[in-house]
Amino acid sequence: MKKILVTLAGVTAIVLAAGSAQAAYVETFDADNASWLYGYGTNFASPQNNATWIGSGGNSDGHISGDASNLYAIWTYTTAPYGDMTGLTMTIDTKVTGTPTGNAQFYIGRGGSYFVDGTWAIGSDTSWTTHSTAMTATEFTFWTQSINNTFSLAQVLAAPDDIGIFFGGVVTGGSGQVSVDNFGVSAVPLPGAALLFGSVLAGLGVTRRYK
Protein backbone atom coordinates (compact mmCIF):
# COMPACT_ATOMS: atom_id res chain seq x y z
CA MET A 1 0.00 0.00 0.00
CA LYS A 2 2.82 2.40 0.90
CA LYS A 3 4.53 1.67 -2.40
CA ILE A 4 1.33 2.46 -4.30
CA LEU A 5 0.92 5.77 -2.45
CA VAL A 6 4.48 6.77 -3.24
CA THR A 7 3.93 5.88 -6.88
CA LEU A 8 0.75 7.94 -7.01
CA ALA A 9 2.56 10.90 -5.47
CA GLY A 10 5.27 10.68 -8.10
CA VAL A 11 2.80 10.41 -10.97
CA THR A 12 0.78 13.33 -9.62
CA ALA A 13 3.92 15.47 -9.55
CA ILE A 14 4.68 14.55 -13.15
CA VAL A 15 1.13 15.32 -14.28
CA LEU A 16 1.09 18.66 -12.47
CA ALA A 17 4.41 19.57 -14.01
CA ALA A 18 3.10 18.73 -17.45
CA GLY A 19 -0.10 20.70 -16.85
CA SER A 20 1.76 23.79 -15.69
CA ALA A 21 4.42 23.76 -18.37
CA GLN A 22 2.61 26.53 -20.25
CA ALA A 23 2.66 29.81 -18.33
CA ALA A 24 -0.05 32.44 -18.01
CA TYR A 25 0.13 36.20 -17.83
CA VAL A 26 -2.63 38.81 -17.61
CA GLU A 27 -2.11 42.57 -17.80
CA THR A 28 -4.70 44.00 -15.41
CA PHE A 29 -3.78 47.68 -15.87
CA ASP A 30 -4.21 48.18 -12.14
CA ALA A 31 -0.99 50.23 -11.82
CA ASP A 32 -0.62 52.09 -15.16
CA ASN A 33 -1.20 51.79 -18.90
CA ALA A 34 1.60 49.18 -19.20
CA SER A 35 2.92 50.93 -22.35
CA TRP A 36 -0.17 50.14 -24.41
CA LEU A 37 -0.99 52.33 -27.40
CA TYR A 38 -4.06 53.54 -29.26
CA GLY A 39 -3.44 54.11 -32.97
CA TYR A 40 -5.55 56.29 -35.26
CA GLY A 41 -5.73 56.40 -39.04
CA THR A 42 -5.22 53.60 -41.55
CA ASN A 43 -2.14 51.68 -40.43
CA PHE A 44 0.31 51.08 -37.57
CA ALA A 45 2.46 54.01 -38.74
CA SER A 46 -0.45 56.41 -38.21
CA PRO A 47 -0.55 58.70 -35.16
CA GLN A 48 -0.18 56.80 -31.90
CA ASN A 49 -1.20 57.89 -28.42
CA ASN A 50 -0.38 56.33 -25.10
CA ALA A 51 -3.50 54.68 -23.74
CA THR A 52 -5.27 56.75 -21.10
CA TRP A 53 -5.01 54.96 -17.78
CA ILE A 54 -7.98 55.09 -15.42
CA GLY A 55 -7.49 53.69 -11.93
CA SER A 56 -11.07 52.56 -11.37
CA GLY A 57 -14.12 51.37 -13.26
CA GLY A 58 -12.36 48.47 -14.96
CA ASN A 59 -13.22 44.80 -14.69
CA SER A 60 -12.17 45.32 -11.94
CA ASP A 61 -10.04 48.28 -10.73
CA GLY A 62 -7.81 49.95 -13.35
CA HIS A 63 -8.17 49.87 -17.13
CA ILE A 64 -7.14 51.78 -20.25
CA SER A 65 -9.32 53.81 -22.58
CA GLY A 66 -9.21 55.95 -25.70
CA ASP A 67 -11.32 57.81 -28.22
CA ALA A 68 -13.23 55.52 -30.58
CA SER A 69 -13.36 57.85 -33.56
CA ASN A 70 -10.95 56.78 -36.33
CA LEU A 71 -9.43 54.15 -34.00
CA TYR A 72 -7.28 51.66 -35.90
CA ALA A 73 -5.70 49.44 -33.22
CA ILE A 74 -5.02 48.98 -29.51
CA TRP A 75 -1.72 47.21 -28.86
CA THR A 76 1.61 46.86 -27.12
CA TYR A 77 5.17 46.17 -28.16
CA THR A 78 5.97 45.03 -24.62
CA THR A 79 5.45 41.34 -25.30
CA ALA A 80 8.13 39.73 -23.11
CA PRO A 81 5.79 39.10 -20.13
CA TYR A 82 3.52 36.98 -22.33
CA GLY A 83 6.34 34.72 -23.52
CA ASP A 84 5.81 31.90 -25.99
CA MET A 85 2.08 31.90 -26.83
CA THR A 86 2.02 28.59 -28.68
CA GLY A 87 -1.16 26.67 -27.82
CA LEU A 88 -2.34 29.22 -25.27
CA THR A 89 -5.65 31.07 -25.06
CA MET A 90 -5.71 34.86 -25.49
CA THR A 91 -8.36 36.88 -23.66
CA ILE A 92 -9.41 40.51 -23.36
CA ASP A 93 -12.18 42.48 -21.66
CA THR A 94 -13.64 45.34 -23.69
CA LYS A 95 -16.28 47.99 -23.05
CA VAL A 96 -17.55 50.92 -25.08
CA THR A 97 -19.44 54.10 -24.34
CA GLY A 98 -21.18 56.23 -26.93
CA THR A 99 -21.88 54.82 -30.38
CA PRO A 100 -18.71 53.23 -31.81
CA THR A 101 -19.06 51.04 -34.89
CA GLY A 102 -16.71 48.56 -36.50
CA ASN A 103 -15.40 45.04 -35.93
CA ALA A 104 -12.53 44.19 -33.57
CA GLN A 105 -10.24 41.17 -33.75
CA PHE A 106 -7.22 39.80 -31.94
CA TYR A 107 -3.92 40.00 -33.76
CA ILE A 108 -0.35 38.90 -33.17
CA GLY A 109 2.72 39.97 -35.12
CA ARG A 110 6.46 39.67 -35.53
CA GLY A 111 8.71 41.68 -37.82
CA GLY A 112 5.79 42.89 -39.90
CA SER A 113 4.12 39.48 -40.33
CA TYR A 114 0.64 39.56 -38.81
CA PHE A 115 -1.99 36.95 -38.05
CA VAL A 116 -5.60 37.65 -37.06
CA ASP A 117 -8.59 35.74 -35.78
CA GLY A 118 -12.34 36.21 -36.23
CA THR A 119 -14.10 39.49 -35.51
CA TRP A 120 -16.70 40.79 -33.11
CA ALA A 121 -18.82 43.96 -33.27
CA ILE A 122 -17.13 46.34 -30.86
CA GLY A 123 -20.28 48.44 -30.52
CA SER A 124 -22.11 45.59 -28.78
CA ASP A 125 -19.75 45.66 -25.77
CA THR A 126 -21.77 48.20 -23.81
CA SER A 127 -20.75 46.50 -20.55
CA TRP A 128 -17.51 44.69 -19.75
CA THR A 129 -17.38 41.73 -22.12
CA THR A 130 -14.72 39.00 -22.22
CA HIS A 131 -13.50 37.74 -25.59
CA SER A 132 -11.12 34.82 -26.02
CA THR A 133 -9.48 32.81 -28.75
CA ALA A 134 -7.17 29.81 -29.01
CA MET A 135 -3.70 30.60 -30.32
CA THR A 136 -3.79 27.97 -33.04
CA ALA A 137 -3.76 27.73 -36.82
CA THR A 138 -7.46 26.88 -36.67
CA GLU A 139 -8.28 30.33 -35.30
CA PHE A 140 -5.49 32.56 -36.65
CA THR A 141 -4.89 33.22 -40.34
CA PHE A 142 -2.32 35.32 -42.16
CA TRP A 143 -3.37 38.94 -42.59
CA THR A 144 -3.03 39.73 -46.28
CA GLN A 145 -2.19 43.39 -45.59
CA SER A 146 0.91 42.44 -43.59
CA ILE A 147 4.15 44.23 -44.39
CA ASN A 148 5.72 40.89 -45.27
CA ASN A 149 5.30 37.13 -44.87
CA THR A 150 8.73 36.49 -43.38
CA PHE A 151 7.47 34.62 -40.34
CA SER A 152 5.08 31.68 -40.07
CA LEU A 153 2.37 31.55 -37.41
CA ALA A 154 4.47 29.12 -35.38
CA GLN A 155 7.40 31.55 -35.41
CA VAL A 156 5.21 34.51 -34.50
CA LEU A 157 3.57 32.66 -31.61
CA ALA A 158 6.96 31.57 -30.28
CA ALA A 159 8.36 35.11 -30.14
CA PRO A 160 5.82 37.86 -30.89
CA ASP A 161 6.83 41.52 -30.84
CA ASP A 162 3.41 43.09 -31.35
CA ILE A 163 0.04 42.01 -29.89
CA GLY A 164 -3.40 43.49 -29.34
CA ILE A 165 -6.67 44.08 -31.14
CA PHE A 166 -7.34 45.97 -34.33
CA PHE A 167 -10.24 46.71 -36.57
CA GLY A 168 -9.60 44.74 -39.72
CA GLY A 169 -8.07 47.58 -41.68
CA VAL A 170 -11.38 49.46 -41.34
CA VAL A 171 -11.23 52.06 -38.60
CA THR A 172 -14.04 52.48 -36.11
CA GLY A 173 -16.72 55.00 -36.79
CA GLY A 174 -19.18 56.76 -34.55
CA SER A 175 -18.08 58.41 -31.34
CA GLY A 176 -17.35 57.52 -27.74
CA GLN A 177 -14.68 55.54 -25.92
CA VAL A 178 -13.23 52.03 -26.29
CA SER A 179 -11.87 50.62 -23.02
CA VAL A 180 -9.71 47.55 -22.43
CA ASP A 181 -8.88 45.48 -19.36
CA ASN A 182 -7.34 42.11 -18.48
CA PHE A 183 -5.48 41.34 -21.69
CA GLY A 184 -3.61 38.10 -21.30
CA VAL A 185 -2.79 34.54 -22.19
CA SER A 186 -3.53 31.41 -20.22
CA ALA A 187 -2.68 27.76 -20.51
CA VAL A 188 -5.06 25.41 -22.25
CA PRO A 189 -5.87 22.35 -20.13
CA LEU A 190 -3.73 19.45 -21.27
CA PRO A 191 -5.98 16.41 -21.76
CA GLY A 192 -2.95 14.18 -22.27
CA ALA A 193 -1.88 14.75 -18.67
CA ALA A 194 -5.30 13.75 -17.39
CA LEU A 195 -5.29 10.66 -19.59
CA LEU A 196 -1.84 9.75 -18.30
CA PHE A 197 -3.03 10.01 -14.72
CA GLY A 198 -6.12 7.92 -15.44
CA SER A 199 -4.09 5.27 -17.23
CA VAL A 200 -1.69 4.96 -14.31
CA LEU A 201 -4.57 4.64 -11.85
CA ALA A 202 -6.09 1.90 -13.99
CA GLY A 203 -2.73 0.15 -14.18
CA LEU A 204 -2.29 0.29 -10.44
CA GLY A 205 -5.75 -1.20 -10.02
CA VAL A 206 -4.81 -4.15 -12.22
CA THR A 207 -1.53 -4.60 -10.37
CA ARG A 208 -3.35 -4.55 -7.06
CA ARG A 209 -5.78 -7.28 -8.13
CA TYR A 210 -3.03 -9.65 -9.24
CA LYS A 211 -0.95 -9.37 -6.06
Side-chain angles (χ1 to χ4, degrees), residues 26 162 174:
V26 177
D162 187 349

Side-chain angles (χ1 to χ4, degrees), residues 5-131:
L5 290 175
V6 171
T7 302
L8 281 174
V11 171
T12 301
I14 292 171
V15 171
L16 289 176
S20 60
Q22 293 172 298
Y25 177 81
V26 177
E27 179 51 66
T28 62
F29 303 106
D30 287 344
D32 52 35
N33 68 9
S35 299
W36 277 66
L37 299 166
Y38 276 58
Y40 296 87
T42 58
N43 56 57
F44 288 98
S46 298
Q48 303 170 7
N49 298 325
N50 290 331
T52 300
W53 178 70
I54 302 171
S56 61
N59 193 29
S60 55
D61 299 324
H63 66 288
I64 57 173
S65 189
D67 188 9
S69 179
N70 209 34
L71 178 63
Y72 180 78
I74 306 170
W75 78 98
T76 184
Y77 295 122
T78 307
T79 59
Y82 301 93
D84 185 340
M85 297 185 179
T86 305
L88 301 183
T89 295
M90 182 181 286
T91 61
I92 193 172
D93 295 341
T94 53
K95 179 183 177 180
V96 301
T97 58
T99 58
T101 59
N103 293 322
Q105 59 190 150
F106 288 102
Y107 84 85
I108 182 170
R110 177 180 176 184
S113 299
Y114 295 99
F115 292 81
V116 296
D117 82 331
T119 63
W120 72 89
I122 194 66
S124 64
D125 295 345
T126 54
S127 59
W128 283 112
T129 305
T130 300
H131 300 275

